[in-house]
């Protein structure tokens, strides 16, 4: 059930918000505010011990001594968290590894941090998602 509430905003802030809404193609303010609230709550879940799904992207040079072995070793340490791993040989030197993970936000972050910190990893990031099922 939808509930109504009113918000007080300074002129400038409201003008900026309306510009944002237009740029993001929202139909109205309510829709935009709902999305912003959901996003804030999902972000909060990431920091807690809620269950999330995540995607870790790694770019590394497979010529770096023992790096390939270390990337595999860390993943075996977290094998309960790993759903699937795809390895793409980008060019002569570089590999892209895309790892789909699930588990407690903190553990998923810890796994990503360990992989990204390995010497020779040129680029790495983690994107986390939750169903936000309590947020609809
Ligand atoms: Ni490769």
């Amino acid at each position: 059930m939808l509930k109504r509430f009113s918000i007080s905003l300074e002129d400038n802030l409201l003008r900026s918000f309306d510009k944002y809404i237009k740029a993001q193609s929202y139909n109205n303010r309510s829709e935009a505010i709902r999305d912003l609230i959901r996003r804030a709550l999902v972000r909060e879940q990431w920091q807690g011990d809620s269950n999330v799904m995540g995607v870790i992207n790694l770019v590394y040079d497979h010529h770096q001594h023992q790096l390939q072995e270390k990337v595999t070793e860390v993943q075996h340490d977290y094998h309960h968290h790993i759903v699937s791993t795809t390895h793409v040989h980008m060019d002569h030197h570089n590999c892209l590894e895309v790892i789909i993970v699930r588990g407690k936000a903190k553990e998923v972050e810890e796994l990503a941090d360990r992989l990204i910190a390995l010497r020779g990893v040129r680029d790495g990031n983690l994107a986390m998602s939750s169903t936000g099922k309590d947020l609809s």
Side-chain angles (χ1 to χ4, degrees):
M1 204 220 305
L2 285 177
K3 300 240 166 134
R4 281 175 172 276
F5 69 103
S6 58
I7 299 174
S8 310
L9 283 182
E10 287 88 7
D11 251 6
N12 282 347
L13 190 55
L14 183 58
R15 223 170 298 136
S16 301
F17 186 56
D18 283 340
K19 251 190 240 165
Y20 168 84
I21 289 174
K22 207 173 164 198
Q24 303 288 319
S25 315
Y26 282 110
N27 289 321
N28 54 58
R29 289 171 179 161
S30 291
E31 207 177 285
I33 285 174
R34 278 195 293 269
D35 259 15
L36 288 172
I37 291 174
R38 277 192 208 104
R39 224 177 294 155
L41 295 174
V42 165
R43 212 176 304 136
E44 202 194 17
Q45 282 189 335
W46 290 0
Q47 285 151 15
D49 63 354
S50 53
N51 286 301
V52 297
M53 300 269 334
V55 180
I56 301 169
N57 287 295
L58 294 177
V59 175
Y60 61 90
D61 183 344
H62 72 99
H63 292 122
Q64 173 84 31
H65 185 59
Q66 288 200 323
L67 180 55
Q68 179 78 70
E69 287 84 347
K70 283 178 197 154
V71 167
T72 303
E73 204 178 291
V74 172
Q75 291 186 62
H76 277 276
D77 286 348
Y78 287 82
H79 63 96
H80 289 302
H81 292 81
I82 293 177
V83 179
S84 124
T85 300
T86 299
H87 185 105
V88 179
H89 309 302
M90 293 170 78
D91 54 36
H92 186 68
H93 290 280
N94 295 298
C95 302
L96 166 69
E97 205 144 305
V98 179
I99 307 159
I100 300 177
V101 293
R102 73 189 318 160
K104 304 273 182 219
K106 268 186 194 150
E107 294 161 7
V108 162
E109 247 176 342
E110 188 184 275
L111 165 59
D113 287 347
R114 274 189 63 185
L115 288 166
I116 293 165
L118 290 173
R119 191 187 156 86
V121 172
R122 291 184 167 160
D123 190 22
N125 58 68
L126 163 67
M128 282 200 278
S129 298
S130 91
T131 58
K133 63 173 188 269
D134 303 325
L135 312 175
S136 62

